[in-house]
Amino acid sequence: MSNFDQVIEECKQKLEYIANDNSVPRNIRRSANDILVTLSKDDEPLFLRTSSSISVLEDISNDPNIPVHTRTLIWDVASQLETIPVDE
């Protein structure tokens, strides 16, 4: 397992936590599930999966209804995904 695969797995675990947390608004949980699906598409290039995931994460992190602990997790996932280079 490459270092990038490890990063993706850690991000997926955090997104699963968000998706299953009932204190999180439904639209945020749905977006977390969508990102999980995107990150799991092994037939797409890694940089495409990560860049589209980061874009969605940035959108939902600006939601005024998001709990603070969830926003922190989202920022953490986004910054982890940003460590994956575009040219991979």
Side-chain angles (χ1 to χ4, degrees):
M1 179 180 274
S2 78
N3 193 27
F4 301 133
D5 291 336
Q6 182 67 34
V7 169
I8 296 290
E9 282 308 308
E10 287 175 23
C11 291
K12 285 164 73 173
Q13 288 174 357
K14 291 173 186 170
L15 288 164
E16 282 172 12
Y17 174 81
I18 293 169
N20 295 317
D21 184 349
N22 287 328
S23 71
V24 176
R26 190 177 304 125
N27 64 319
I28 304 295
R29 294 195 319 253
R30 190 177 313 115
S31 293
N33 269 321
D34 292 346
I35 296 167
L36 277 166
V37 169
T38 301
L39 289 176
S40 299
K41 291 181 180 174
D42 292 332
D43 57 330
E44 287 186 15
L46 183 58
F47 77 92
L48 275 180
R49 292 184 281 154
T50 56
S51 59
S52 64
S53 297
I54 291 166
S55 175
V56 174
L57 287 166
E58 288 173 353
D59 288 345
I60 62 175
S61 73
N62 294 320
D63 189 310
N65 300 317
I66 192 170
V68 174
H69 71 279
T70 306
R71 188 183 318 265
T72 305
L73 264 177
I74 286 170
W75 286 339
D76 184 38
V77 170
S79 55
Q80 278 188 287
L81 290 175
E82 287 170 351
T83 66
I84 297 174
V86 176
D87 59 355
E88 265 305 301

Coordinates of all heavy atoms in Angstrom, one line a residue:
M1 N 0.8 -1.2 0.0 CA 0.0 0.0 0.0 C 0.9 1.2 0.0 O 1.8 1.4 0.8 CB -0.9 0.0 1.2 CG -1.8 1.2 1.3 SD -2.9 1.2 2.8 CE -4.2 0.2 2.2
S2 N 0.6 2.1 -1.0 CA 1.5 3.3 -1.0 C 1.0 4.3 0.0 O 0.0 4.2 0.6 CB 1.3 4.0 -2.4 OG 0.1 4.7 -2.5
N3 N 1.9 5.3 0.2 CA 1.6 6.4 1.2 C 0.3 7.1 0.8 O -0.5 7.4 1.7 CB 2.8 7.4 1.2 CG 2.7 8.3 2.4 OD1 2.1 8.0 3.4 ND2 3.3 9.5 2.2
F4 N 0.0 7.3 -0.5 CA -1.2 7.9 -0.9 C -2.4 7.1 -0.6 O -3.5 7.6 -0.2 CB -1.1 8.3 -2.4 CG 0.0 9.2 -2.7 CD1 0.8 9.0 -3.8 CD2 0.3 10.3 -1.9 CE1 1.9 9.8 -4.1 CE2 1.4 11.1 -2.2 CZ 2.2 10.9 -3.3
D5 N -2.3 5.8 -0.8 CA -3.4 4.9 -0.5 C -3.7 5.0 1.0 O -4.9 4.9 1.4 CB -3.1 3.4 -0.8 CG -3.0 3.2 -2.3 OD1 -3.6 4.0 -3.1 OD2 -2.2 2.2 -2.7
Q6 N -2.7 5.1 1.8 CA -2.9 5.2 3.3 C -3.7 6.5 3.6 O -4.6 6.5 4.4 CB -1.5 5.2 4.0 CG -1.6 5.3 5.5 CD -2.3 4.1 6.1 OE1 -2.1 3.0 5.6 NE2 -3.0 4.2 7.2
V7 N -3.3 7.6 2.9 CA -4.0 8.9 3.1 C -5.4 8.8 2.7 O -6.3 9.2 3.5 CB -3.3 10.0 2.3 CG1 -4.1 11.3 2.3 CG2 -1.9 10.3 2.8
I8 N -5.7 8.2 1.6 CA -7.1 8.0 1.1 C -7.9 7.2 2.1 O -9.0 7.5 2.4 CB -7.1 7.3 -0.3 CG1 -6.4 8.2 -1.3 CG2 -8.5 6.9 -0.7 CD1 -7.2 9.4 -1.7
E9 N -7.3 6.1 2.7 CA -8.0 5.2 3.6 C -8.3 6.0 4.9 O -9.4 5.9 5.4 CB -7.2 4.0 4.0 CG -7.2 2.9 2.9 CD -8.7 2.6 2.5 OE1 -9.5 2.3 3.4 OE2 -8.9 2.6 1.3
E10 N -7.4 6.8 5.4 CA -7.6 7.6 6.6 C -8.8 8.6 6.3 O -9.6 8.8 7.2 CB -6.4 8.4 7.0 CG -5.3 7.5 7.6 CD -4.0 8.2 7.9 OE1 -4.1 9.5 8.1 OE2 -3.0 7.6 8.0
C11 N -8.7 9.2 5.1 CA -9.8 10.2 4.8 C -11.1 9.5 4.7 O -12.2 10.1 5.2 CB -9.4 10.9 3.5 SG -8.0 12.0 3.6
K12 N -11.2 8.3 4.1 CA -12.4 7.6 4.0 C -13.0 7.3 5.3 O -14.2 7.3 5.6 CB -12.2 6.4 3.1 CG -12.1 6.7 1.6 CD -11.5 5.6 0.8 CE -12.4 4.5 0.5 NZ -11.9 3.5 -0.4
Q13 N -12.1 6.9 6.3 CA -12.6 6.6 7.6 C -13.3 7.8 8.3 O -14.3 7.7 8.9 CB -11.5 6.1 8.5 CG -11.0 4.7 8.2 CD -9.8 4.3 9.0 OE1 -9.2 5.1 9.7 NE2 -9.3 3.1 8.7
K14 N -12.6 9.0 8.1 CA -13.2 10.2 8.7 C -14.5 10.6 8.0 O -15.4 11.0 8.7 CB -12.2 11.4 8.6 CG -11.0 11.1 9.5 CD -9.9 12.2 9.3 CE -8.7 11.8 10.2 NZ -7.5 12.6 9.8
L15 N -14.6 10.4 6.7 CA -15.8 10.7 6.0 C -16.9 9.8 6.4 O -18.1 10.2 6.5 CB -15.5 10.6 4.5 CG -14.7 11.8 3.9 CD1 -14.1 11.5 2.6 CD2 -15.5 13.1 3.9
E16 N -16.6 8.5 6.6 CA -17.6 7.5 7.1 C -18.1 8.0 8.5 O -19.3 7.9 8.7 CB -17.0 6.1 7.2 CG -16.9 5.5 5.8 CD -16.1 4.1 5.9 OE1 -15.9 3.6 7.0 OE2 -15.8 3.6 4.8
Y17 N -17.3 8.4 9.3 CA -17.7 8.9 10.6 C -18.7 10.1 10.4 O -19.7 10.1 11.1 CB -16.5 9.4 11.4 CG -16.9 10.0 12.7 CD1 -17.2 9.3 13.9 CD2 -16.9 11.4 12.9 CE1 -17.6 9.8 15.1 CE2 -17.3 12.0 14.1 CZ -17.6 11.2 15.1 OH -18.0 11.8 16.3
I18 N -18.3 11.0 9.6 CA -19.2 12.2 9.3 C -20.6 11.7 8.7 O -21.6 12.1 9.2 CB -18.6 13.2 8.4 CG1 -17.4 13.8 9.0 CG2 -19.6 14.3 7.9 CD1 -16.5 14.7 8.1
A19 N -20.5 10.8 7.8 CA -21.7 10.3 7.1 C -22.6 9.6 8.1 O -23.9 9.5 7.8 CB -21.3 9.4 6.0
N20 N -22.1 9.0 9.1 CA -22.9 8.2 10.1 C -23.2 9.0 11.4 O -23.9 8.4 12.3 CB -22.2 6.9 10.4 CG -22.1 6.0 9.2 OD1 -23.0 5.9 8.5 ND2 -20.9 5.4 9.0
D21 N -22.8 10.3 11.4 CA -23.0 11.1 12.6 C -24.4 11.8 12.5 O -24.5 12.7 11.7 CB -21.9 12.1 12.8 CG -22.0 12.9 14.1 OD1 -23.0 12.9 14.7 OD2 -21.0 13.6 14.4
N22 N -25.4 11.4 13.3 CA -26.7 12.0 13.2 C -26.8 13.4 13.7 O -27.8 14.1 13.5 CB -27.7 11.1 14.0 CG -28.0 9.9 13.2 OD1 -27.9 9.8 12.0 ND2 -28.3 8.8 14.0
S23 N -25.7 14.0 14.3 CA -25.7 15.4 14.7 C -25.3 16.3 13.6 O -25.4 17.5 13.7 CB -24.8 15.6 15.9 OG -23.4 15.5 15.5
V24 N -24.9 15.7 12.5 CA -24.5 16.4 11.3 C -25.7 16.5 10.4 O -26.5 15.6 10.1 CB -23.4 15.7 10.5 CG1 -23.0 16.3 9.2 CG2 -22.2 15.5 11.4
P25 N -26.0 17.7 9.8 CA -27.1 17.9 8.9 C -27.1 16.9 7.7 O -26.0 16.5 7.3 CB -26.9 19.4 8.4 CG -26.2 20.0 9.4 CD -25.2 19.0 10.0
R26 N -28.3 16.5 7.3 CA -28.4 15.5 6.2 C -27.6 15.9 5.0 O -27.0 15.0 4.4 CB -29.9 15.3 5.9 CG -30.1 14.1 5.0 CD -31.6 13.8 4.8 NE -32.4 13.7 6.0 CZ -33.4 14.4 6.4 NH1 -33.9 15.3 5.5 NH2 -34.0 14.2 7.5
N27 N -27.6 17.1 4.5 CA -27.0 17.5 3.3 C -25.4 17.3 3.4 O -24.8 16.9 2.5 CB -27.3 18.9 2.9 CG -26.8 20.0 3.9 OD1 -26.9 19.8 5.1 ND2 -26.3 21.1 3.4
I28 N -24.9 17.5 4.6 CA -23.5 17.3 4.8 C -23.1 15.8 4.8 O -22.1 15.4 4.2 CB -23.0 18.0 6.2 CG1 -23.4 19.4 6.2 CG2 -21.5 17.7 6.4 CD1 -22.7 20.3 5.3
R29 N -24.0 15.0 5.5 CA -23.8 13.6 5.5 C -23.9 13.0 4.0 O -23.1 12.2 3.7 CB -24.8 12.9 6.4 CG -24.7 13.2 7.8 CD -25.4 12.3 8.8 NE -26.7 11.9 8.3 CZ -27.9 12.4 8.8 NH1 -27.9 13.2 9.8 NH2 -29.0 12.0 8.3
R30 N -24.8 13.6 3.3 CA -24.9 13.1 1.9 C -23.7 13.5 1.1 O -23.2 12.6 0.3 CB -26.2 13.8 1.2 CG -26.5 13.2 -0.1 CD -27.8 13.8 -0.7 NE -28.9 13.9 0.2 CZ -29.4 15.0 0.7 NH1 -29.0 16.2 0.2 NH2 -30.5 15.0 1.5
S31 N -23.2 14.7 1.3 CA -21.9 15.1 0.6 C -20.8 14.2 1.0 O -19.9 13.8 0.2 CB -21.6 16.5 0.9 OG -22.6 17.4 0.3
A32 N -20.7 13.9 2.3 CA -19.6 13.0 2.7 C -19.7 11.6 2.0 O -18.7 11.0 1.6 CB -19.7 12.8 4.3
N33 N -20.9 11.1 1.9 CA -21.1 9.8 1.2 C -20.7 10.0 -0.3 O -20.1 9.1 -0.9 CB -22.6 9.4 1.3 CG -22.8 8.5 2.5 OD1 -22.0 7.7 2.8 ND2 -23.9 8.7 3.1
D34 N -21.0 11.1 -0.9 CA -20.7 11.3 -2.3 C -19.1 11.3 -2.5 O -18.6 10.8 -3.4 CB -21.2 12.6 -2.8 CG -22.8 12.6 -2.9 OD1 -23.4 11.5 -2.9 OD2 -23.3 13.7 -3.1
I35 N -18.5 12.0 -1.5 CA -17.0 12.0 -1.6 C -16.4 10.6 -1.4 O -15.5 10.2 -2.1 CB -16.4 13.0 -0.5 CG1 -16.9 14.4 -0.8 CG2 -14.9 12.9 -0.5 CD1 -16.7 15.4 0.3
L36 N -17.0 9.8 -0.5 CA -16.6 8.4 -0.3 C -16.7 7.7 -1.6 O -15.7 6.9 -2.0 CB -17.4 7.7 0.8 CG -17.0 8.0 2.2 CD1 -18.1 7.5 3.1 CD2 -15.7 7.3 2.5
V37 N -17.8 7.8 -2.3 CA -17.9 7.2 -3.6 C -16.9 7.6 -4.6 O -16.2 6.8 -5.3 CB -19.4 7.4 -4.2 CG1 -19.5 6.9 -5.6 CG2 -20.4 6.7 -3.3
T38 N -16.6 8.9 -4.7 CA -15.6 9.5 -5.6 C -14.2 8.9 -5.3 O -13.5 8.5 -6.2 CB -15.6 11.0 -5.5 OG1 -16.9 11.5 -5.8 CG2 -14.6 11.6 -6.4
L39 N -13.9 8.9 -4.0 CA -12.5 8.4 -3.6 C -12.4 6.9 -3.9 O -11.2 6.5 -4.0 CB -12.3 8.7 -2.1 CG -12.0 10.2 -1.8 CD1 -11.9 10.4 -0.3 CD2 -10.8 10.8 -2.5
S40 N -13.5 6.2 -3.9 CA -13.4 4.8 -4.1 C -13.4 4.4 -5.6 O -13.2 3.2 -5.9 CB -14.6 4.1 -3.5 OG -14.6 4.3 -2.1
K41 N -13.5 5.3 -6.5 CA -13.5 5.0 -8.0 C -12.1 4.8 -8.4 O -11.4 5.7 -8.9 CB -14.1 6.1 -8.8 CG -15.6 6.3 -8.5 CD -16.1 7.5 -9.4 CE -17.6 7.6 -9.2 NZ -18.1 8.8 -9.9
D42 N -11.6 3.5 -8.3 CA -10.3 3.2 -8.7 C -10.0 3.3 -10.2 O -8.8 3.3 -10.6 CB -9.9 1.8 -8.2 CG -9.9 1.7 -6.7 OD1 -9.6 2.7 -6.0 OD2 -10.1 0.6 -6.1
D43 N -11.0 3.4 -11.0 CA -10.8 3.5 -12.4 C -10.5 5.0 -12.9 O -10.1 5.2 -14.0 CB -12.0 3.0 -13.2 CG -13.3 3.7 -12.8 OD1 -13.4 4.1 -11.6 OD2 -14.2 3.8 -13.7
E44 N -10.6 5.9 -11.9 CA -10.3 7.3 -12.3 C -8.9 7.7 -11.7 O -8.5 7.1 -10.7 CB -11.3 8.3 -11.6 CG -12.7 8.2 -12.3 CD -13.6 9.3 -11.7 OE1 -13.2 10.2 -11.0 OE2 -14.8 9.2 -12.0
P45 N -8.2 8.6 -12.4 CA -6.9 9.0 -11.8 C -7.0 9.6 -10.4 O -8.0 10.3 -10.1 CB -6.4 10.1 -12.8 CG -7.3 9.9 -14.0 CD -8.6 9.3 -13.6
L46 N -6.0 9.3 -9.6 CA -6.0 9.7 -8.2 C -6.2 11.2 -8.1 O -7.0 11.7 -7.3 CB -4.8 9.3 -7.5 CG -4.6 9.5 -6.0 CD1 -5.8 8.9 -5.3 CD2 -3.3 9.0 -5.5
F47 N -5.5 12.0 -8.9 CA -5.6 13.5 -8.8 C -7.0 14.0 -9.1 O -7.4 15.0 -8.5 CB -4.5 14.2 -9.6 CG -4.8 14.2 -11.1 CD1 -5.5 15.3 -11.6 CD2 -4.4 13.2 -12.0 CE1 -5.8 15.4 -13.0 CE2 -4.7 13.3 -13.3 CZ -5.4 14.4 -13.8
L48 N -7.7 13.4 -10.0 CA -9.0 13.8 -10.3 C -10.0 13.5 -9.1 O -10.8 14.4 -8.8 CB -9.6 13.0 -11.5 CG -9.3 13.6 -12.9 CD1 -9.9 12.7 -14.0 CD2 -9.8 15.0 -13.0
R49 N -9.8 12.3 -8.5 CA -10.6 12.0 -7.4 C -10.4 12.9 -6.2 O -11.3 13.4 -5.6 CB -10.4 10.5 -6.9 CG -10.8 9.5 -8.0 CD -10.6 8.1 -7.5 NE -9.3 7.7 -7.6 CZ -8.6 6.8 -6.9 NH1 -9.3 6.2 -5.9 NH2 -7.4 6.5 -7.1
T50 N -9.1 13.2 -6.0 CA -8.8 14.1 -4.8 C -9.2 15.5 -5.1 O -9.8 16.2 -4.2 CB -7.3 14.0 -4.5 OG1 -6.5 14.4 -5.6 CG2 -7.0 12.7 -3.9
S51 N -9.0 16.1 -6.3 CA -9.3 17.5 -6.5 C -10.8 17.7 -6.5 O -11.3 18.7 -6.0 CB -8.7 17.9 -7.9 OG -9.2 17.2 -8.9
S52 N -11.6 16.8 -7.1 CA -13.1 16.9 -7.0 C -13.6 16.8 -5.6 O -14.5 17.5 -5.1 CB -13.8 16.0 -7.9 OG -13.6 14.7 -7.6
S53 N -12.9 15.9 -4.8 CA -13.3 15.7 -3.4 C -13.0 17.0 -2.6 O -13.8 17.4 -1.7 CB -12.6 14.5 -2.8 OG -13.0 13.4 -3.4
I54 N -11.8 17.6 -2.8 CA -11.4 18.8 -2.1 C -12.4 19.9 -2.4 O -12.8 20.7 -1.5 CB -10.0 19.2 -2.5 CG1 -9.0 18.2 -1.9 CG2 -9.7 20.6 -2.0 CD1 -7.6 18.3 -2.4
S55 N -12.9 20.0 -3.7 CA -13.8 21.0 -4.1 C -15.1 20.9 -3.3 O -15.6 21.9 -2.8 CB -14.1 20.9 -5.6 OG -15.1 21.8 -6.0
V56 N -15.6 19.7 -3.2 CA -16.9 19.5 -2.4 C -16.7 19.8 -0.9 O -17.5 20.4 -0.3 CB -17.4 18.0 -2.6 CG1 -18.6 17.8 -1.7 CG2 -17.7 17.8 -4.1
L57 N -15.5 19.3 -0.4 CA -15.2 19.6 1.0 C -15.2 21.1 1.3 O -15.7 21.6 2.3 CB -13.9 19.0 1.4 CG -13.9 17.5 1.5 CD1 -12.5 16.9 1.6 CD2 -14.7 17.0 2.8
E58 N -14.6 21.9 0.4 CA -14.5 23.3 0.6 C -15.9 23.9 0.6 O -16.2 24.8 1.4 CB -13.7 24.0 -0.5 CG -12.2 23.7 -0.2 CD -11.3 24.2 -1.4 OE1 -11.8 24.6 -2.4 OE2 -10.1 24.1 -1.2
D59 N -16.8 23.4 -0.3 CA -18.2 23.9 -0.4 C -18.9 23.6 1.0 O -19.5 24.5 1.5 CB -18.9 23.3 -1.5 CG -18.5 23.8 -2.9 OD1 -17.8 24.9 -2.9 OD2 -18.8 23.2 -3.9
I60 N -18.8 22.4 1.4 CA -19.6 22.1 2.6 C -19.0 22.6 3.9 O -19.7 22.9 4.9 CB -19.8 20.5 2.8 CG1 -18.6 19.8 2.9 CG2 -20.7 20.0 1.6 CD1 -18.7 18.3 3.2
S61 N -17.7 22.9 3.9 CA -17.1 23.5 5.1 C -17.7 24.9 5.4 O -17.6 25.5 6.5 CB -15.6 23.5 5.0 OG -15.2 24.5 4.1
N62 N -18.2 25.6 4.3 CA -18.8 26.9 4.5 C -20.2 26.9 4.9 O -20.8 28.0 5.0 CB -18.6 27.7 3.2 CG -17.2 27.9 2.9 OD1 -16.4 28.3 3.7 ND2 -16.8 27.8 1.6
D63 N -20.8 25.7 5.1 CA -22.2 25.6 5.5 C -22.4 26.2 6.9 O -21.7 25.7 7.8 CB -22.7 24.2 5.4 CG -24.2 24.0 5.6 OD1 -24.7 24.6 6.6 OD2 -24.8 23.3 4.8
P64 N -23.3 27.1 7.1 CA -23.4 27.7 8.4 C -24.0 26.8 9.5 O -23.9 27.0 10.7 CB -24.3 28.9 8.2 CG -25.1 28.6 6.9 CD -24.2 27.8 6.1
N65 N -24.7 25.7 9.0 CA -25.3 24.8 10.0 C -24.4 23.6 10.4 O -24.8 22.8 11.2 CB -26.6 24.2 9.3 CG -27.6 25.3 9.0 OD1 -27.8 26.2 9.8 ND2 -28.1 25.2 7.8
I66 N -23.2 23.6 9.9 CA -22.3 22.5 10.2 C -21.8 22.6 11.6 O -21.3 23.6 12.1 CB -21.2 22.4 9.2 CG1 -20.4 21.1 9.3 CG2 -20.2 23.5 9.3 CD1 -19.5 20.9 8.1
P67 N -21.8 21.5 12.4 CA -21.2 21.5 13.8 C -19.7 21.8 13.7 O -19.0 21.4 12.7 CB -21.5 20.1 14.3 CG -22.6 19.5 13.5 CD -22.4 20.2 12.1
V68 N -19.2 22.4 14.7 CA -17.8 22.8 14.7 C -16.9 21.6 14.6 O -15.9 21.6 13.9 CB -17.4 23.6 16.0 CG1 -16.0 23.9 16.1 CG2 -18.2 24.9 16.0
H69 N -17.2 20.5 15.3 CA -16.3 19.3 15.3 C -16.3 18.7 13.9 O -15.3 18.2 13.4 CB -16.7 18.3 16.3 CG -18.0 17.6 16.1 ND1 -19.2 18.1 16.4 CD2 -18.3 16.4 15.5 CE1 -20.2 17.3 16.0 NE2 -19.6 16.2 15.5
T70 N -17.4 18.8 13.2 CA -17.5 18.3 11.8 C -16.7 19.2 10.9 O -15.9 18.7 10.0 CB -18.9 18.2 11.4 OG1 -19.7 17.4 12.3 CG2 -19.0 17.5 10.0
R71 N -16.8 20.5 11.0 CA -16.0 21.4 10.2 C -14.5 21.1 10.3 O -13.8 21.1 9.4 CB -16.3 22.8 10.6 CG -15.7 23.9 9.6 CD -16.0 25.3 10.1 NE -17.4 25.5 10.5 CZ -18.4 25.9 9.8 NH1 -18.2 26.2 8.5 NH2 -19.6 26.1 10.3
T72 N -14.1 20.9 11.6 CA -12.7 20.6 11.8 C -12.2 19.3 11.1 O -11.2 19.3 10.5 CB -12.4 20.5 13.3 OG1 -12.9 21.7 14.0 CG2 -10.9 20.3 13.6
L73 N -13.1 18.3 11.2 CA -12.8 17.0 10.5 C -12.7 17.2 9.0 O -11.8 16.7 8.3 CB -13.9 16.0 10.8 CG -13.7 15.0 11.9 CD1 -14.9 14.1 12.1 CD2 -12.4 14.2 11.6
I74 N -13.6 18.0 8.5 CA -13.6 18.3 7.0 C -12.4 19.0 6.6 O -11.8 18.7 5.6 CB -14.9 19.1 6.6 CG1 -16.1 18.2 6.7 CG2 -14.8 19.7 5.3 CD1 -17.4 18.9 6.5
W75 N -12.0 20.0 7.4 CA -10.7 20.7 7.1 C -9.5 19.7 7.1 O -8.6 19.8 6.3 CB -10.5 21.9 8.0 CG -11.3 23.0 7.8 CD1 -12.0 23.4 6.7 CD2 -11.7 24.1 8.8 NE1 -12.7 24.6 6.9 CE2 -12.5 25.0 8.1 CE3 -11.3 24.3 10.1 CZ2 -13.0 26.1 8.8 CZ3 -11.8 25.4 10.8 CH2 -12.7 26.3 10.1
D76 N -9.6 18.8 8.1 CA -8.5 17.8 8.2 C -8.4 16.9 7.0 O -7.3 16.7 6.4 CB -8.7 17.0 9.5 CG -7.6 16.0 9.8 OD1 -6.4 16.4 9.5 OD2 -7.9 14.9 10.2
V77 N -9.6 16.4 6.6 CA -9.6 15.6 5.4 C -9.1 16.3 4.1 O -8.3 15.8 3.4 CB -11.1 15.0 5.1 CG1 -11.2 14.3 3.8 CG2 -11.5 14.1 6.3
A78 N -9.6 17.6 4.0 CA -9.2 18.4 2.8 C -7.7 18.6 2.8 O -7.0 18.4 1.8 CB -9.9 19.7 2.8
S79 N -7.1 18.9 4.0 CA -5.6 19.1 4.0 C -4.9 17.9 3.8 O -3.8 17.9 3.2 CB -5.2 19.8 5.3 OG -5.6 19.1 6.4
Q80 N -5.4 16.7 4.2 CA -4.7 15.4 3.9 C -4.8 15.2 2.4 O -3.8 14.7 1.8 CB -5.4 14.3 4.7 CG -5.0 14.2 6.1 CD -5.5 12.9 6.7 OE1 -6.7 12.8 7.0 NE2 -4.7 11.9 6.9
L81 N -5.9 15.4 1.8 CA -6.0 15.1 0.4 C -5.1 16.1 -0.4 O -4.6 15.7 -1.5 CB -7.5 15.3 -0.1 CG -8.5 14.2 0.4 CD1 -9.9 14.5 0.0 CD2 -8.1 12.8 -0.1
E82 N -4.9 17.3 0.1 CA -4.1 18.2 -0.6 C -2.6 17.8 -0.6 O -1.8 18.4 -1.4 CB -4.2 19.6 0.0 CG -5.5 20.3 -0.4 CD -5.8 21.5 0.4 OE1 -5.1 21.9 1.4 OE2 -6.8 22.2 0.1
T83 N -2.2 16.8 0.2 CA -0.8 16.3 0.2 C -0.6 15.4 -1.0 O 0.6 15.1 -1.3 CB -0.5 15.6 1.5 OG1 -1.3 14.4 1.5 CG2 -0.7 16.4 2.7
I84 N -1.6 15.0 -1.7 CA -1.5 14.1 -2.8 C -1.2 15.0 -4.1 O -2.0 15.8 -4.4 CB -2.7 13.3 -3.1 CG1 -2.9 12.4 -1.8 CG2 -2.6 12.4 -4.3 CD1 -4.2 11.6 -1.8
P85 N 0.0 14.8 -4.7 CA 0.4 15.6 -5.8 C -0.5 15.4 -7.1 O -1.1 14.3 -7.3 CB 1.8 15.2 -6.2 CG 2.0 13.8 -5.5 CD 1.0 13.7 -4.4
V86 N -0.6 16.4 -7.8 CA -1.5 16.4 -9.0 C -0.9 15.5 -10.1 O -1.6 15.0 -10.9 CB -1.7 17.9 -9.6 CG1 -2.5 17.9 -10.8 CG2 -2.3 18.7 -8.5
D87 N 0.4 15.3 -10.2 CA 1.0 14.6 -11.2 C 1.1 13.1 -11.0 O 1.8 12.4 -11.7 CB 2.4 15.2 -11.6 CG 3.3 15.1 -10.4 OD1 2.9 14.8 -9.3 OD2 4.5 15.5 -10.5
E88 N 0.4 12.6 -10.0 CA 0.5 11.2 -9.7 C -0.2 10.3 -10.7 O -1.3 10.7 -11.2 CB -0.1 10.9 -8.3 CG 1.0 10.8 -7.2 CD 2.1 9.8 -7.5 OE1 1.9 8.6 -7.6 OE2 3.2 10.3 -7.5

